[in-house]
Amino acid sequence: MASVENESGLHRVVVVGGGAAGLQLVTKLGDKLGRGKRAHITLVDRARTHIWKPLLHEVAAGSLDVGHHAVDYLHHAHMHGFRYRIGRMTGLDREARTVQLAASHDAEGREVTPERAVPYDTLVMAVGSTTNDFGTTGVAEHAIALDTQEQAVRFHQRLVNASLRAHTQVGPVRPGQLHVTVIGAGATGTELAAELHRTLRHVVSTGLDKIDPGKDIRITLVEAADRILPAVPQRLSAEVMQLLNKIGVDVRVKARVTEVRADGVQLADGTFIPSELVVWAAGVKAPPFLQGIGGLETTRTNQLVVTPTLQTTRDPDIFAIGDCAYLVEAGSDTPVPPRAQAAHQQASHLISQIPAKIAGKPLKPFRYKDFGSLVSLGEYSTVGSLMGFVRGKNMLIAGLFARMMYRSLYKMHERALHGTAKTVLDTLARALTRRTEPRVKLH
């Protein structure tokens, strides 16, 4: 392994994972500490660009172009006073205080960067989560997850290719040939099902007249629990269920998947759902490489156990935030949920706490506040529940107001990364280009 990078004596803060939480953290720390040479701030990620994870279902459906929304890590690092190191984390040496990275390769298999070690004084793990298939047979071989933008793009390409194949083949469209099954009716699965219902029909309407959308296209949403969106209030779940039924999405609740096959999905009750494409969105877990890494305490789902200050229980120089962190707050019986708002709040907390740690000051505990849930069904509707909106009571919202709030979450993320001026300009530019581009990405 290549020797560690030579540092100049400044405190070294390394953040592994450039998702919403990690990128927000290094951006603000770079502006605050990196620019003034008060500390070295480094981001480590295996990818070269970032896209906000709640947008991946739109990428998969083709209603959002990655090129218009992706953040280039190298350029962003240059603009905000931190450094970017490409590489997949493979190990942690707590004694030497280094993060081990695997070599990276290009599409032809040539090495781009060698194996190497990145030194740290303070390390923040923000590697997010991956899909949890619960050991279900055939998932790895025949289903696609939506953990990364590469997976979302690959799914969309398969969707377009399936449509072209059905249109150009000699025989008629086979039963199940243009059926898509989404397993897991959490926010991602539910939003994807609604978005696919619209975009797949739009793809067909561009000239694939051999396909009859009403007869040949079918979107099925499968959920093992007794209702969709089990983590949100019952009323919100019921309203979304009604909307999905109205647009023609086939929803199966209390349906446990036992096997995913090349031609469809097998349920525990013996039902078989023919499917050309299967998306697995049924659960999350932290990446497997975290299990017991560096001797740190981890859970069965690979999460790093942290104290109220977000420091790992066995090393105060290592923090964990976002989906890969396991924190049970005082007075609670359940851990902080793996949600985007939790990751954002934890990143915001560390923006002030890491400078305090460098200065040798005591750290403040993190407090999670649940602001509710928003679920977007694309152009059909947006619904949500705001927690404690009026005198401690929950408030259900829907329609235009809910859609504006849903979009504002992404704008808040963009503003945290780019500032107000650039966010406004980018929003205007996208609004103008949408008038000259296809409504759905067709390649």
Side-chain angles (χ1 to χ4, degrees):
M1 180 172 292
S3 59
V4 299
E5 300 173 359
N6 183 31
E7 300 288 357
S8 59
L10 294 177
H11 192 95
R12 301 163 298 189
V13 179
V14 174
V15 178
V16 181
L23 187 55
Q24 177 185 343
L25 180 58
V26 292
T27 299
K28 296 302 184 183
L29 290 179
D31 290 338
K32 182 182 293 189
L33 303 177
R35 288 181 184 275
K37 305 298 181 184
R38 295 167 55 194
H40 281 299
I41 312 299
T42 302
L43 171 67
V44 171
D45 199 282
R46 63 187 302 174
R48 300 191 184 192
T49 59
H50 158 85
I51 190 166
W52 198 47
K53 196 169 183 178
L55 293 179
L56 288 181
H57 75 280
E58 295 186 40
V59 176
S63 52
L64 183 142
D65 191 333
V66 172
H68 292 171
H69 294 262
V71 177
D72 184 287
Y73 285 134
L74 195 59
H75 174 73
H76 194 72
H78 174 69
M79 297 299 293
H80 290 276
F82 66 92
R83 299 176 300 181
Y84 160 63
R85 298 292 180 258
I86 186 172
R88 174 176 58 86
M89 182 177 178
T90 57
L92 171 65
D93 188 334
R94 288 169 54 201
E95 184 175 350
R97 291 190 176 190
T98 59
V99 172
Q100 280 78 49
L101 303 183
S104 64
H105 300 82
D106 61 18
E108 288 75 38
R110 293 175 297 182
E111 184 176 275
V112 177
T113 58
E115 286 187 2
R116 62 203 189 284
V118 178
Y120 69 87
D121 294 305
T122 296
L123 174 64
V124 182
M125 300 297 297
V127 294
S129 59
T130 61
T131 297
N132 188 352
D133 62 14
F134 306 103
T136 306
T137 303
V139 174
E141 295 82 7
H142 305 300
I144 298 179
L146 295 183
D147 296 325
T148 67
Q149 60 179 286
E150 290 79 15
Q151 291 172 325
V153 170
R154 186 165 73 250
F155 173 82
H156 178 65
Q157 290 172 342
R158 289 188 182 182
L159 188 71
V160 174
N161 289 342
S163 301
L164 292 172
R165 187 181 303 114
H167 174 68
T168 57
Q169 67 191 23
V170 176
V173 179
R174 302 185 309 274
Q177 185 174 353
L178 287 179
H179 291 193
V180 181
T181 296
V182 180
I183 302 171
T188 298
T190 301
E191 291 176 333
L192 176 63
E195 198 74 10
L196 283 174
H197 182 272
R198 179 183 68 86
T199 58
L200 188 51
R201 281 162 172 75
H202 186 77
V203 170
V204 170
S205 71
T206 57
L208 307 185
D209 46 24
K210 185 178 178 181
I211 301 171
D212 181 346
K215 182 180 71 174
D216 298 327
I217 295 175
R218 188 176 187 86
I219 309 297
T220 302
L221 180 62
V222 177
E223 173 57 49
D226 60 359
R227 64 183 177 94
I228 65 172
L229 299 169
V232 306
Q234 174 76 42
R235 287 175 58 196
L236 178 59
S237 172
E239 183 162 348
V240 174
M241 182 75 168
Q242 185 177 8
L243 286 167
L244 291 176
N245 288 333
K246 183 178 180 180
I247 64 176
V249 174
D250 177 21
V251 181
R252 313 279 185 97
V253 295
K254 299 181 181 178
R256 185 173 62 87
V257 175
T258 57
E259 183 183 6
V260 178
R261 300 182 350 206
D263 58 346
V265 176
Q266 183 69 52
L267 302 183
D269 63 3
T271 303
F272 182 74
I273 305 174
S275 305
E276 173 82 1
L277 293 169
V278 177
V279 178
W280 187 274
V284 298
K285 63 181 179 181
F289 80 89
L290 287 182
Q291 186 61 51
I293 190 169
L296 298 176
E297 183 182 3
T298 52
T299 67
R300 289 184 301 172
T301 54
N302 311 324
Q303 290 175 294
L304 295 165
V305 183
V306 297
T307 66
T309 56
L310 302 180
Q311 294 165 294
T312 53
T313 55
R314 296 174 184 170
D315 194 328
D317 292 323
I318 301 177
F319 295 75
I321 60 175
D323 292 1
C324 72
Y326 182 87
L327 170 65
V328 179
E329 294 183 287
S332 175
D333 297 326
T334 58
V336 173
R339 301 173 66 184
Q341 61 177 301
H344 168 72
Q345 291 176 35
Q346 289 171 342
S348 298
H349 181 75
L350 287 193
I351 288 168
S352 62
Q353 294 307 294
I354 285 181
K357 179 181 181 295
I358 295 174
K361 298 178 181 178
L363 302 184
K364 297 179 181 179
F366 168 74
R367 294 282 185 264
Y368 171 64
K369 185 173 182 180
D370 189 347
F371 290 101
S373 303
L374 289 168
V375 179
S376 172
L377 303 182
E379 293 185 354
Y380 297 116
S381 183
T382 300
V383 298
S385 172
L386 303 184
M387 304 292 286
F389 188 74
V390 181
R391 295 185 181 180
K393 297 182 179 180
N394 297 348
M395 175 181 177
L396 292 185
I397 58 174
L400 178 61
F401 180 55
R403 184 169 181 81
M404 289 174 60
M405 293 203 66
Y406 185 89
R407 288 299 178 190
S408 73
L409 297 177
Y410 180 45
K411 295 307 170 188
M412 288 171 60
H413 174 63
E414 287 190 301
R415 187 168 176 267
L417 299 182
H418 307 300
T420 301
K422 187 175 186 303
T423 299
V424 171
L425 290 174
D426 282 347
T427 301
L428 291 174
R430 290 170 193 153
L432 291 173
T433 56
R434 274 201 301 269
R435 296 179 178 274
T436 60
E437 295 180 343
R439 293 176 60 195
V440 176
K441 190 175 174 66
L442 300 174
H443 62 278

